[in-house]
Structures are given as C-alpha cells and as structure tokens.
Amino acid sequence: MVDLAAMLDDLRAEGAESDRLVASLSAADWALPTPAPGWTIAHQIAHLAWTDDQVRLAATDPTAFAGALAVAAADPDGFVDRGAEAGATAPPRDLLARWRDGRHAVPELLSALPAGARLPWYGPPMSAASMAGARIMETWAHTQDIADTLGVLRTPTTRLRHIARLGVRARDYAYTVHGLRPPEGEFRVELIDPDEPGGTWTHGPEGAAERVTGPLLDFCLLVTRRRHPADLAVRAEGAEATRWLTITQAYAGPPGAGRTPGRSD
C-alpha cells in the first residue's frame, strides 16, 4: 500500500533542495541558460510554479481546469513552454515567492483529497499518490538542470525510487509517444541503490528475458532524459530492452531532443 504521507514528505524535501540552490542567486544567475534549450534558471522555476498552479486548480476548481485543458489542446506542443516563458518574465524575488507558495500548498491539497479521489490532469486523471510521484520526478529533474548549470554535484537520495517507479510504469507510454507498439511482457529492472534494503531496487519478473541493470541514479537521469544513454552505466539485455533505453521517459508529453553524448547540456 502506498504511504501518501511519506511521499508528500519526499515531495517537500525535493522542493527544499531546489530552494537551497536558487534562494541566494543574483538576478544575473537567474538568467543563466540551462541544458534545456531556450530555458534559463528562471524558466525552470517558472515551469515548476506553473505546474503547481495547475495542480491547485485541478484540486480546487475542476471546471476552471477544464478550461485550461482546452487551451492546452489548442497548442499541445507549446502550452508548457508558454507557461514557463510567462513566469520567467517576473522579477526573481516575485517568481521565487510564487513558487514557494505553490509548492507548499500542493502537499496540503493532496493530503486532503478523499480516499480514492482522482484529479483531472493533462492525460488520465491522477490519484493523490500518482500526482505526488509526478511532482517529485519533475522537481528532481528540473533541479538537475539547475544544478548542472551551476556546476553543483547533487547527492543521490532514496527519493530516486519514486522516479524509477514512474520510469518503469511509463514504459508503454514511451513506446506509444514514439509511434511504436509496446512489448507484450514485462522487463526485469534491477538498480543498485545503496540506501535500499539489500542494496537493489527491482521491478518485474525475475526470470524475464529482457533486462535492464545499473545504478539507480543513472536510471533516473535516463528516464528524465537528463543524460544521453551512452554517458550512463545503465545496461540492457534483449532487443526490446535495448530499444527502450533510447526512448524511455518518465513524463507525459513530447520526448524532446534529449541530451547529446558526452555532455549534460
């Protein structure tokens, strides 16, 4: 059974880590380009703030959120970028305050949802736990872009298991968004995690022919498309598992160009 309270604590911790990176940045630093083409640090935080705003809208005013869905449907490839661009024009102090307000509000809203409730979203409706996992993943990924920009080496935490879980659950979606038919059977995924009991995080049947192995951190960098597969110690056995490593993504929407080999940007 999913421990929602623990997930929300992990979401708060991810936000706090991001905050520590940007809280004391100068205005010039907020304008630094990040590995995401066309996005500055301000865009990264503005995107997180915008997404938190959408979660709040979905939780408190589903009718208004339906209007937001219609706007997204009219520009499916650009509405996320437009949200980030609009937020990035604000003075850094105002943007930081907006983001803090939203990221503190989201866990409270998710914890207050009735058992079994689902939020409307850009795709299938999401449970509180699924939304918490998605927010952890996105916060971690965009914080990675900021850390790469600033030359900060982050310490992996057990919170990465949420991202790994999303990555394997999104396997069929990754195939579909690339116009491919998902494989029939499950893959075996074995990831080295020193902080997990036994030191390994696993998913899928132990005897599966298609297998993926490697460090938990590297797998999370892969499924969030923050590193090129050639730069990671994630390995595959089997033709489909090998192909999956080239298309995998833990998030909804277009996959984007990803990173080039030998670079984090």
Side-chain angles (χ1 to χ4, degrees):
M1 184 175 179
V2 174
D3 186 341
L4 178 60
M7 290 189 73
L8 295 177
D9 284 343
D10 285 348
L11 175 56
R12 293 183 184 98
E14 283 298 331
E17 181 179 336
S18 307
D19 203 316
R20 286 191 290 272
L21 283 180
V22 301
S24 60
L25 294 181
S26 67
D29 289 335
W30 281 84
L32 289 172
T34 68
W39 278 31
T40 64
I41 289 178
H43 284 82
Q44 300 283 351
I45 295 298
H47 172 67
L48 293 175
W50 175 87
T51 311
D52 286 338
D53 287 346
Q54 300 309 298
V55 177
R56 295 167 80 178
L57 191 64
T60 61
D61 193 342
T63 300
F65 184 75
L69 284 178
V71 171
D75 183 19
D77 294 328
F79 77 99
V80 170
D81 284 337
R82 286 191 290 104
E85 289 164 4
T89 63
R93 182 176 62 181
D94 294 344
L95 174 55
L96 186 59
R98 174 193 167 198
W99 170 59
R100 285 171 171 168
D101 180 64
R103 71 179 177 84
H104 290 312
V106 165
E108 302 308 314
L109 287 168
L110 294 180
S111 66
L113 288 177
R118 291 186 172 270
L119 293 177
W121 198 240
Y122 298 94
M126 299 181 73
S127 67
S130 293
M131 183 64 77
R135 298 309 300 132
I136 291 169
M137 178 274 297
E138 196 161 32
T139 303
W140 182 86
H142 289 284
T143 302
Q144 185 64 49
D145 288 338
I146 295 170
D148 287 340
T149 301
L150 299 174
V152 174
L153 184 63
R154 304 168 72 193
T155 301
T157 73
T158 57
R159 299 190 295 272
L160 291 174
R161 68 189 185 276
H162 300 299
I163 301 165
R165 188 173 295 110
L166 272 180
V168 297
R169 290 181 62 189
R171 186 201 71 173
D172 289 359
Y173 176 81
Y175 273 82
T176 302
V177 81
H178 282 85
L180 301 170
R181 182 176 179 178
E184 292 283 338
E186 285 191 84
F187 297 167
R188 175 68 171 182
V189 179
E190 297 179 355
L191 304 174
I192 300 168
D193 178 10
D195 294 316
E196 277 286 303
T200 305
W201 183 92
T202 63
H203 176 87
E206 195 168 344
E210 303 280 345
R211 305 172 67 83
V212 170
T213 60
L216 177 63
L217 172 61
D218 285 26
F219 183 77
C220 292
L221 289 167
L222 180 67
V223 299
T224 56
R225 300 179 71 85
R226 263 51 192 183
R227 294 290 188 275
H228 190 277
D231 296 326
L232 299 169
V234 180
R235 301 291 179 259
E237 298 176 25
E240 283 300 340
T242 299
R243 175 157 66 167
W244 183 46
L245 297 191
T246 68
I247 63 172
T248 184
Q249 66 184 74
Y251 53 87
R259 306 295 190 249
T260 55
R263 295 167 61 104
S264 62
D265 56 358

